[in-house]
Amino acid sequence: MHFEYTEEHLAVRDAARDFAKSELLPGVIERDTEARFPYEQIKKMGELGFMGMMVDPKYNGGGMDTISYVLAMEEISKIDASASVSMSVNNSLVCWGLEKYGSEEQKEKYLKRLASGEIIGAFCLSEPEAGSDATSQKTTAEREGDHYVLNGTKNWITNGNTASVYLVIAQTDPAKGHKGISAFIVEKEWEGFVIGKKEDKLGIRGSDTHSLMFSDVKVPVENRIGEEGFGFNFAMMTLNGGRIGIAAQALGIASGAYELALAYSKERKAFGKPISQHQAIQFKLADMATQIEAARLLVYKSAWLKDQGMDYSDASAMAKLYASEVAMNVTIEAIQVHGGYGYVKEYHVERLMRDAKITQIYEGTSEIQKIVISRSILR
């Protein structure tokens, strides 16, 4: 077991850390308050290579390993989880899914622009009646000659309005259940595609989360990913990697809150000495640091397994389950360390707590992760 970063890993981590502090931190409170998408920041992230980190360089990607990706995700998430979730979706779900399962034509047409950050993508699985139960797809795609006719509604879609390309999961043969689900690439400007209002959320408020409506949208057959009926497997395999990204996001949120709490504890005085010298605060900091380190090892293990070409489905589920719980625990304790100051926006930790909650819900709730893990250990 080698617990060391390579020089490349350190360079990626430091670059992400510098970018987060110089470009994301200014204005992050205002973007949260106004629920404003970080357009300029995301554009710069694309220019720096953060939006297609693991994609092969021949498709304009960075050709990096998953460890590099989670290191960057952690640093970005310490400052702005709204920016990091856009980064996660584009890297883990859209780019990875297209590179792994898309045709060469699809990669040339879409992946190159996505990996370079010229455009960003969205992953469309959830529906009003198909959240955790992804088999209950009501969106349909009926084939008519050289195209499919797409109808239905998707909701909770990250990058819902800012994306240019959408990977849409739809039912092509209802009689076959989940084996009749297929995946398609849909472009934003196509007729019949309508973007609903932006959701007013508790956390990650800068991320643009929308419902999407499809009304007789014509999708060319060449925009189907894989064969008919491959869509459910495509979604599940893509989400396995996506969970690593969200686990890294949760880790970053927890780390960011811990670092703020640690620094504040050394500055704030009570009863004649810094509160870091009071055992009650010391024990909180010790628990926070230990939980974060345990989460980090789970996240890195899942990333390492993926890089080795080994089965990482259980490891990614464990990483997401635990890291998201740690994110909630640590952010709550960070507010407690700050006392009354932690309850106001100026000190950032209340925002990190609000951002943390969603990591227990999207890309598979904590309960779904427990189903994945329990099925494996009982198999």
Side-chain angles (χ1 to χ4, degrees), residues 52-64 95 98-116:
M53 295 182 67
M54 297 173 288
V55 176
D56 192 304
K58 71 179 180 180
Y59 300 118
N60 297 335
M64 300 180 194
C95 286
L98 279 176
E99 184 173 21
K100 182 75 173 177
Y101 300 109
S103 67
E104 196 59 36
E105 293 74 20
Q106 290 168 352
K107 294 175 187 178
E108 287 291 329
K109 186 175 182 180
Y110 299 111
L111 181 57
K112 282 186 172 182
R113 298 173 68 202
L114 289 160
S116 68

Side-chain angles (χ1 to χ4, degrees), residues 243-244 247 295 298-300 302 314-324:
R243 287 166 184 157
I244 298 175
L298 282 171
V299 174
Y300 288 6
S302 63
D314 295 349
S316 66
M318 290 180 179
K320 184 184 181 296
L321 172 65
Y322 188 70
S324 63

